[in-house]
Amino acid sequence: MSKTYQEINQRIKKGEAVVLTAEEVIDLAKEKGTDEVAKKVDVVTTGTFAPMCSSGLILNFGHSEPPIKMSKVWLNDVPAYAGLAAVDAYVGASEISTVRGFDYGGGHLIEDLVAGKRIKLHATAYATDCYPRKEITTFIDLNSINQAVLFNPRNAYQNYAAATNSSDKILHTYMGILLPRFGNVTYCSAGQLSPLLNDPCYRTIGVGTRIFLGGGEGYVAWEGTQHNPIRERADNGIPLGPAGTLALIGDIKGMNRNYLRGATFTRYGVSLAVGIGIPIPVLDEEMAFYVSVADADIYTSVLDYSVPSRSRPAIGRFSYAQLKSGQIEIEGKKVPAAPLSSYRKAREIAQTLKEWIASGKFLLTEPVRRLPLETTFKPLEVKEE
Amino acid sequence: MAKRRIVLTFPKDQVERPIIYRLSKDYDLVMNILRAQVMPKEVGRLVMELTGSKEEINQGLKYLKESGVEVESMAQDIKLREEDCTHCGACTAVCPSGALFLNRTTWEVVFDRDKCLLCEHCIPACPYRVIESTF
């Protein structure tokens, strides 16, 4: 039993497609088996919402009179990169305000812009014959500028390691506040709802895949940075630690603040929480097997963040069912486990995407290029010449 | 036996008087101080749990008010701005009393004020800064 993208899209257009969320399909698979899932279900929707630092916004402000070739740009005092054409800039989610520090950064700026707030733009330049202006201070908003395109080099990590702290002191990390002596564990994945955990070998998620991004429509632009498909995998194909990643793109003019939120990690920095939903066509029984994965079948390592090294020691391996129970056991001690990824929002996103598809307004796209299955994630060696 | 959690504000001129001592001596109350902020010649704040009979607690509170101490019910002091909460659960990682927890059916963050110790660990743990204190 197999289906093509064209057949599935025909059914979506006619309003006949059977769409389930990645949570709903688990029950069907348990009751009736994955062959029934392959027969009955056309599309499974996934979702995730969590801080993803490698995100940012491409902007084009339009030209002032007299014009300026902006070389330094600040948006609400957050520095943006302007080493592009005259009025183009890129602001990264984890850039911090020169005035407010960790209380406000690129992530908050993106949230404010998408919420329709007025943003202070300040830019300086060296004057040239064609761009005589040296400085500009003005206010912009989402409607006044030409482009505001989210381009996130690394989102939707396929699994992520959980974090804990064996030391005697409190740690402030991008995995939240880690209490001393294994006082807590934090994890960051939507588990069974997570996009790349429902298509672990990237059969359907590839370059050009249309997705839910930040409440609007986006696309998979490329493999994400640090894409590491060769990570050790369980028998079900699921990586046992951080593996594949996605670079995503989309116009923020169609997005909303519910799914793009500035975040601050105390004594670490700022970030942007991004809501992502990816539809997965149930092309055949293999895809039916993949989309039916449950939290109990997905494992990750818990790393000790008290070791400030790129290779932090692993304390143990746990399933998302264990982590999501709220408590795991480390060295005989019961340790509370808490998420940084909002499962409630992940659910909301998968549900919204399901409704978009069921109503016929969101069609699936066949990838124009597969994500690599062989690339490696190299370390950076410190060399003396 | 009844229990009350209260927040006390001491005016500058009352900070150096042994007011709390009277609660146990004269009103037979059991006091569990959860947080305190006391500096000479500055407004003082104290969070505590009182245990005793209803009548004794009311008498004790009356004495505090007569001594110029402002008495507030503790519940109002930590605020979770629910409309902006993403329900991620990061705050639950650091909450020592279980006042902040995830409902594992709806996956919503729930704040049980009765269990809150006002430790404020949740405030810096929230990436979206939706938890505030008025202490």
Side-chain angles (χ1 to χ4, degrees):
Chain A
M1 181 75 199
S2 65
K3 310 181 197 84
T4 65
Y5 284 85
Q6 290 72 23
E7 284 162 358
I8 293 172
N9 278 336
Q10 279 309 316
R11 291 170 60 76
I12 294 173
K13 282 183 199 162
K14 286 186 197 157
E16 291 169 358
V18 177
V19 190
L20 294 182
T21 70
E23 219 178 6
E24 292 163 344
V25 76
I26 295 168
D27 296 332
L28 180 65
K30 269 187 197 145
E31 270 172 48
K32 306 259 173 89
T34 51
D35 51 337
E36 189 70 10
V37 171
K39 263 186 238 163
K40 283 267 167 68
V41 184
D42 296 302
V43 185
V44 164
T45 58
T46 61
T48 187
F49 178 92
M52 304 186 198
C53 292
S54 200
S55 298
L57 192 65
I58 298 164
L59 295 146
N60 178 282
F61 303 113
H63 290 280
S64 59
E65 185 61 41
I68 180 170
K69 183 190 178 315
M70 300 175 181
S71 60
K72 302 276 180 216
V73 168
W74 294 261
L75 291 156
N76 283 357
D77 303 309
V78 177
Y81 180 73
L84 303 156
V87 292
D88 284 344
Y90 183 79
V91 61
S94 55
E95 186 66 64
I96 58 168
S97 158
T98 56
V99 177
R100 296 173 62 191
F102 288 179
D103 289 340
Y104 194 89
H108 302 92
L109 173 81
I110 293 168
E111 176 184 337
D112 281 349
L113 199 60
V114 85
K117 290 191 186 167
R118 257 161 56 106
I119 307 291
K120 186 177 84 180
L121 163 66
H122 177 63
T124 58
Y126 53 85
T128 67
D129 288 344
C130 44
Y131 292 106
R133 190 192 277 268
K134 281 186 170 168
E135 205 233 315
I136 190 169
T137 302
T138 183
F139 288 85
I140 59 157
D141 63 43
L142 198 51
N143 291 320
S144 77
I145 56 177
N146 293 306
Q147 276 77 27
V149 178
L150 204 60
F151 178 70
N152 303 345
R154 181 170 68 254
N155 279 180
Y157 236 120
Q158 185 181 28
N159 211 342
Y160 205 78
T164 193
N165 171 16
S166 70
S167 78
D168 287 333
K169 59 177 196 222
I170 196 162
L171 295 178
H172 294 84
T173 75
Y174 61 80
M175 290 297 285
I177 296 176
L178 299 174
L179 302 175
R181 296 176 291 280
F182 301 124
N184 59 4
V185 166
T186 58
Y187 61 94
C188 194
S189 172
Q192 62 195 15
L193 267 176
S194 180
L196 289 176
L197 294 177
N198 282 276
D199 183 9
C201 299
Y202 332 120
R203 270 192 67 198
T204 70
I205 300 173
V207 176
T209 299
R210 183 183 295 131
I211 63 167
F212 171 112
L213 180 60
E217 187 180 286
Y219 291 86
V220 174
W222 207 248
E223 74 202 59
T225 53
Q226 292 181 195
H227 181 68
N228 187 28
I230 60 162
R231 172 78 63 186
E232 186 192 351
R233 288 169 188 257
D235 290 343
N236 58 10
I238 304 264
L240 295 163
T245 66
L246 300 174
L248 304 178
I249 193 162
D251 186 349
I252 71 161
K253 291 190 183 186
M255 300 185 191
N256 71 69
R257 178 181 175 267
N258 286 337
Y259 302 108
L260 285 178
R261 292 287 299 275
T264 295
F265 285 95
T266 301
R267 290 169 62 183
Y268 174 79
V270 299
S271 188
L272 178 72
V274 185
I276 299 161
I278 304 188
I280 298 176
V282 185
L283 299 173
D284 50 29
E285 206 169 326
E286 187 188 40
M287 288 314 298
F289 169 76
Y290 286 144
V291 295
S292 302
V293 74
D295 283 333
D297 313 318
I298 308 168
Y299 285 81
T300 197
S301 295
V302 175
L303 302 185
D304 184 356
Y305 273 59
S306 70
V307 180
S309 156
R310 73 180 172 211
S311 317
R312 298 185 180 99
I315 299 296
R317 189 174 276 168
F318 298 88
S319 76
Y320 280 94
Q322 290 171 296
L323 289 164
K324 283 164 84 173
S325 76
Q327 196 178 64
I328 62 168
E329 203 170 292
I330 296 177
E331 295 180 0
K333 183 184 169 185
K334 288 191 164 51
V335 179
L340 297 165
S341 172
S342 171
Y343 196 71
R344 180 177 176 246
K345 281 215 187 265
R347 225 182 224 175
E348 220 173 80
I349 290 166
Q351 192 62 37
T352 304
L353 184 55
K354 173 183 162 176
E355 285 159 19
W356 287 359
I357 296 167
S359 70
K361 66 176 186 180
F362 189 105
L363 296 177
L364 304 197
T365 54
E366 189 166 350
V368 293
R369 185 186 196 274
R370 291 279 301 272
L371 299 179
L373 278 160
E374 298 295 332
T375 52
T376 58
F377 172 26
K378 302 181 195 115
L380 174 66
E381 300 306 345
V382 183
K383 294 175 184 169
E384 289 178 26
E385 301 226 10
Chain B
M1 289 296 247
K3 269 189 187 178
R4 278 285 299 271
R5 287 192 179 191
I6 52 172
V7 181
L8 305 179
T9 305
F10 293 77
K12 288 180 193 180
D13 56 346
Q14 297 291 325
V15 168
E16 282 156 60
R17 281 183 55 207
I19 293 174
I20 295 302
Y21 162 79
R22 293 268 153 228
L23 292 179
S24 77
K25 191 78 181 160
D26 300 350
Y27 302 96
D28 203 23
L29 293 170
V30 176
M31 298 159 314
N32 184 15
I33 295 177
L34 303 170
R35 285 189 65 192
Q37 192 176 300
V38 184
M39 295 288 274
K41 309 264 183 262
E42 277 183 31
V43 171
R45 306 278 321 252
L46 193 71
V47 180
M48 64 178 186
E49 189 176 74
L50 288 179
T51 310
S53 75
K54 248 187 171 160
E55 178 58 25
E56 285 161 347
I57 289 178
N58 286 338
Q59 290 293 322
L61 293 181
K62 192 166 162 248
Y63 160 72
L64 287 172
K65 285 172 194 162
E66 282 165 7
S67 309
V69 179
E70 197 184 308
V71 182
E72 289 164 283
S73 174
M74 191 178 105
Q76 285 131 23
D77 263 13
I78 286 280
K79 196 179 163 229
L80 174 69
R81 283 204 327 273
E82 288 192 28
E83 68 280 12
D84 280 333
C85 176
T86 70
H87 298 278
C88 66
C91 56
T92 68
V94 297
C95 180
S97 65
L100 285 159
F101 63 95
L102 274 164
N103 174 324
R104 283 170 208 280
T105 309
T106 64
W107 289 94
E108 284 175 343
V109 169
V110 184
F111 178 40
D112 180 352
R113 290 173 192 283
D114 292 341
K115 287 190 184 161
C116 177
L117 302 176
L118 278 195
C119 70
E120 297 189 355
H121 290 172
C122 53
I123 293 174
C126 173
Y128 309 98
R129 298 295 188 252
V130 303
I131 307 176
E132 289 158 1
S133 163
T134 54
F135 186 73

